[in-house]
């Protein structure tokens, strides 16, 4: 009997978000992401940051995504859990922040090629096997602009 790890993992996250909501994940951004943003993007005038498109793959309940939106970047998030996206929409509304949110698969990103200045993945790709990990890297490369950055 073969177990579908993806379905089992999705069920695990969906259940966690349903039961615990925003407290199921961190509410503060990853410290290394903050350093990365500081080195690469925080020098850009706040009025110009809306022109910088950043995608977080596996955005969860938005600990990182909210920071990016609050800093004025054109922020996108994708997660395979519809429950996390529901929670994140409420958080963004409460904080009066905007982001483009999608329920989807990080190994088949629903975006045109060459549109993001940066793609962020803090933890989600650790759940991928070798084959899907390669697909994710290809997809990340595809959606990144020339000289785009991957964190």
């Amino acid at each position: 009997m073969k177990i579908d790890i993806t379905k089992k993992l999705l069920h695990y996250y969906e259940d966690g978000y349903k039961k615990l909501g925003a407290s199921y994940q961190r509410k503060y951004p990853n410290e290394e992401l903050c350093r990365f943003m500081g080195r690469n993007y925080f020098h850009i005038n706040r009025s110009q940051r809306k022109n910088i498109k950043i995608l977080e793959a596996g955005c969860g309940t938005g600990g990182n995504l909210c920071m990016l939106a609050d800093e004025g970047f054109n922020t996108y998030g994708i997660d395979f859990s519809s429950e996390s996206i529901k929670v994140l929409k409420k958080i963004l509304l409460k904080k009066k922040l905007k982001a483009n949110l999608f329920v989807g698969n990080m190994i088949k990103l629903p975006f045109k090629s060459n549109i993001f200045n940066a793609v962020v993945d803090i933890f989600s790709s650790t759940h991928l096997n070798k084959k899907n990990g390669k697909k994710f890297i290809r997809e990340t490369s595809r959606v990144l602009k020339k000289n785009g950055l991957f964190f």
Side-chain angles (χ1 to χ4, degrees):
M1 180 174 94
K2 187 176 179 181
I3 298 172
D4 186 337
I5 298 299
T6 305
K7 284 184 181 179
K8 189 174 180 180
L9 186 64
L10 177 59
H11 177 72
Y12 171 80
Y13 280 104
E14 292 283 68
D15 195 44
Y17 292 121
K18 280 180 187 175
K19 289 179 183 173
L20 301 172
S23 66
Y24 190 55
Q25 280 193 345
R26 68 165 69 222
K27 67 178 185 176
Y28 299 106
N30 177 278
E31 189 174 344
E32 290 304 318
L33 175 60
C34 292
R35 287 187 181 103
F36 169 82
M37 294 302 296
R39 284 190 306 271
N40 295 288
Y41 295 105
F42 286 165
H43 68 280
I44 297 169
N45 186 296
R46 215 172 153 80
S47 65
Q48 296 301 309
R49 290 181 186 177
K50 66 182 176 287
N51 300 318
I52 306 295
K53 288 185 178 180
I54 300 176
L55 168 66
E56 183 177 15
C59 61
T61 55
N64 301 307
L65 193 105
C66 287
M67 178 270 296
L68 297 169
D70 191 45
E71 287 292 332
F73 296 101
N74 188 349
T75 310
Y76 290 71
I78 187 167
D79 201 287
F80 76 153
S81 169
S82 60
E83 288 298 321
S84 72
I85 297 297
K86 286 179 193 175
V87 172
L88 179 50
K89 284 180 179 179
K90 290 177 185 175
I91 292 169
L92 289 167
L93 190 62
K94 184 177 179 182
K95 292 184 175 192
K96 298 180 181 170
L97 297 171
K98 292 184 180 181
N100 304 285
L101 303 177
F102 300 85
V103 175
N105 191 329
M106 64 194 301
I107 64 171
K108 190 165 174 40
L109 295 170
F111 307 107
K112 293 179 182 177
S113 298
N114 308 308
I115 66 164
F116 293 107
N117 298 90
V119 174
V120 173
D121 169 41
I122 300 300
F123 181 73
S124 297
S125 64
T126 64
H127 295 299
L128 300 174
N129 61 27
K130 186 176 180 178
K131 178 183 172 185
N132 287 337
K134 287 180 180 182
K135 287 179 182 179
F136 172 58
I137 296 298
R138 278 195 299 273
E139 279 293 278
T140 298
S141 296
R142 181 185 65 76
V143 299
L144 276 171
K145 291 180 178 181
K146 184 178 179 180
N147 299 317
L149 301 175
F150 177 46
F151 179 87

